[in-house]
Amino acid sequence: MQNLPEKLLKKIQLREKSNILRALPETRNGVDFISNDYLGFSRSAAMFKAAKEVLKTYDIQTNGATGSRLISGNHKLYTVVERELARLHNIEEALLFNSGYDANLGFFSSVPQKGDCVFYDELIHASIRDGMQMSYAETYKFKHNDLQDLEVKYNRLKAKGKINGTIYIVTESVFSMDGDTPDLEMLTSFCESNKCLLIIDEAHAVGVFGKNGTGLIQEKKLEEKVFARIVTFGKGLGCHGAAILGSNALKQYLINFARSLIYTTALPPHALANIWVGYKKLARREDVEALQDNIKFFKAQIKKHKLEAFFIQSDSAIQCCLIPGYSKTKEIAAQLINKGYDVKAIASPTVPKGQERLRFCLHSYNSVQEIEEVLRLLATFV
Ligand SMILES: Cc1ncc(COP(=O)(O)O)c(C=O)c1O
């Protein structure tokens, strides 16, 4: 076996020394305040069975996709599911990708061109950052959820004659590590006034917000004002994959230029059957409503235990308790885990240094007693 180069070993040691070395966790069996499976769809036996029925209906008995979508992998469920996604999300077209990571990488590496500008929220997801790094466009960050900062930076660059080409603005409708939301109405009106194209990552809004859990853009009826939406299925839908929602022309462009779509084996048929079944269950609304009730209850309990000052304001399924200093965050997480509650301590570089936090993911299947107890314990530990 060949050894890892010395300089890479040093990087591991540095992380170890700083107490932020990542490792793959063991599967835990505590009360779930950690997974992105907001509605419990990943564990639904009925959905597992229903997905099999979909495959039977379409007479599909294959395990894998057999190739890229542009070669042999574009099996018939792709057309069916993409058409359904476009209808449910009230948009011209949907284009499926293997994951949200792939969708963002494909979009941001291929759409913004040399001479274009991308403005992005400083806390934007790593997949968008990675995509932008592969692009020749100029990129500028603005302060988190701070539209005024965006405006100041935009105007300053414009005055210097540095705003050329097409202007893209990208943010998330629910931030993955904060759970908060930008002012989407103001953002869309800024984009309209300045002829900017807006991209919204809805990874953590699907299954949580909107009629039938279709996301915040639809809840706010802003579909027409957004250039592209990214919806992902590994979170609220409990399965796998993602889609970019936009115009017919955007879909055609991505099929031709998004390398993370072109140069990879397509999703297998059962993954698409899962997505389809997931959207059917969303439409029944009972799970989304149960989740929304739990979010309200969690927030009321934060108040009751006088923990408001610790929590980032959020109406989503992601609720974060700031506990600066990773040793302390980890220690409190360990105490909760000891009591049977799975929570995640989040450290730098995932979040900025000094903003370490406990991240609670809420679910439709968390009971009122579990929520009451985990926050009662938290109040005694912080
Ligand atoms: C905001 C956001 N976008 C995209 C992704 C990537 O999605 P996926 O897990 O499907 O690759 C994530 C997942 O962590 C996310 O939080």
Side-chain angles (χ1 to χ4, degrees):
M1 193 169 54
Q2 294 183 313
N3 289 333
L4 191 70
E6 193 60 32
K7 58 185 172 191
L8 303 188
L9 278 172
K10 278 207 174 116
K11 286 183 86 169
I12 295 181
Q13 284 158 5
L14 198 67
R15 281 217 163 161
E16 213 162 9
K17 227 167 119 185
S18 311
N19 199 19
I20 54 167
L21 184 68
R22 288 173 171 143
L24 297 173
E26 286 168 24
T27 314
R28 297 203 200 107
N29 293 317
V31 176
D32 183 7
F33 283 113
I34 199 167
S35 80
N36 292 325
D37 186 20
Y38 300 127
L39 304 169
F41 285 8
S42 82
R43 51 178 85 180
S44 163
M47 289 173 72
F48 189 85
K49 220 168 128 191
K52 271 189 178 167
E53 288 306 312
V54 171
L55 295 176
K56 256 194 208 160
T57 309
Y58 283 88
D59 194 23
I60 296 172
Q61 291 186 46
T62 45
N63 298 315
T66 79
S68 157
R69 289 192 66 185
L70 278 101
I71 304 178
S72 60
N74 201 40
H75 46 86
K76 52 191 164 190
L77 272 185
Y78 266 110
T79 320
V80 176
V81 173
E82 283 180 343
R83 201 180 302 131
E84 189 65 357
L85 284 174
R87 184 183 73 77
L88 291 168
H89 282 290
N90 194 24
I91 193 74
E92 211 170 274
E93 286 290 351
L95 180 66
L96 281 155
F97 282 74
N98 288 4
S99 70
Y101 188 91
D102 281 355
N104 278 330
L105 207 68
F107 183 96
F108 286 96
S109 61
S110 69
V111 174
Q113 301 286 297
K114 194 173 169 61
D116 294 341
C117 299
V118 187
F119 287 85
Y120 65 96
D121 187 290
E122 63 183 343
L123 299 189
I124 206 78
H125 192 261
S127 53
I128 297 171
R129 280 178 182 268
D130 292 355
M132 289 190 302
Q133 271 197 352
M134 294 164 80
S135 154
Y136 292 106
E138 294 296 328
T139 58
Y140 304 99
K141 74 176 169 197
F142 57 92
K143 286 186 193 154
H144 179 52
N145 282 348
D146 190 339
L147 200 57
Q148 218 177 351
D149 188 52
L150 167 66
E151 213 162 338
V152 166
K153 283 179 176 153
Y154 175 85
N155 287 331
R156 195 187 298 149
L157 287 162
K158 197 170 176 192
K160 286 184 183 167
K162 285 192 171 174
I163 297 278
N164 300 305
T166 309
I167 317 298
Y168 297 91
I169 295 178
V170 55
T171 191
E172 296 173 26
S173 55
V174 174
F175 274 82
S176 58
M177 288 299 142
D178 295 63
D180 55 357
T181 294
D183 187 330
L184 292 166
E185 285 91 350
M186 278 182 60
L187 196 56
T188 48
S189 95
F190 175 85
C191 287
E192 242 174 359
S193 316
N194 294 287
K195 297 191 170 51
C196 304
L197 300 183
L198 182 61
I199 302 111
I200 303 287
D201 183 329
E202 293 241 72
H204 295 277
V206 172
V208 183
F209 291 105
K211 189 169 164 268
N212 302 337
T214 46
L216 257 176
I217 292 299
Q218 278 174 263
E219 179 170 299
K220 293 177 179 291
K221 300 192 173 23
L222 296 171
E223 300 95 306
E224 288 293 318
K225 302 183 179 216
V226 175
F227 176 62
R229 275 176 277 164
I230 289 91
V231 290
T232 73
F233 311 128
K235 306 177 195 308
L237 268 289
C239 49
H240 206 92
I244 296 182
L245 311 173
S247 66
N248 186 25
L250 175 64
K251 179 170 178 174
Q252 195 180 25
Y253 179 84
L254 291 168
I255 290 171
N256 280 276
F257 295 101
R259 293 162 71 86
S260 60
L261 177 99
I262 301 165
Y263 297 107
T264 188
T265 303
L267 285 172
H270 60 259
L272 298 195
N274 284 339
I275 297 166
W276 199 20
V277 166
Y279 269 89
K280 280 207 155 57
K281 185 141 166 64
L282 269 190
R284 280 186 232 131
R285 288 209 51 79
E286 62 208 2
D287 308 284
V288 181
E289 280 165 12
L291 172 63
Q292 286 168 351
D293 286 348
N294 273 349
I295 296 170
K296 279 191 203 120
F297 185 70
F298 190 93
K299 292 189 66 168
Q301 290 295 303
I302 291 177
K303 233 181 192 169
K304 180 180 155 191
H305 290 290
K306 304 198 172 17
L307 288 165
E308 294 128 296
F310 293 94
F311 273 85
I312 297 171
Q313 160 54 31
S314 154
D315 292 323
S316 76
I318 299 165
Q319 300 283 331
C320 291
C321 178
L322 289 171
I323 305 172
Y326 190 47
S327 312
K328 199 167 164 204
T329 330
K330 241 167 84 168
E331 185 196 307
I332 293 176
Q335 292 188 69
L336 289 171
I337 291 164
N338 252 340
K339 297 276 182 191
Y341 295 93
D342 274 354
V343 294
K344 181 75 182 152
I346 312 278
S348 147
T350 305
V351 292
K353 244 190 162 122
Q355 291 187 31
E356 293 79 10
R357 64 200 62 181
L358 283 185
R359 180 171 179 259
F360 293 85
C361 287
L362 306 181
H363 307 96
S364 56
Y365 50 87
N366 289 135
S367 71
V368 160
Q369 290 80 2
E370 288 164 357
I371 294 174
E372 261 175 349
E373 183 60 7
V374 80
L375 286 178
R376 189 190 66 75
L377 287 168
L378 180 70
T380 65
F381 297 149
V382 289

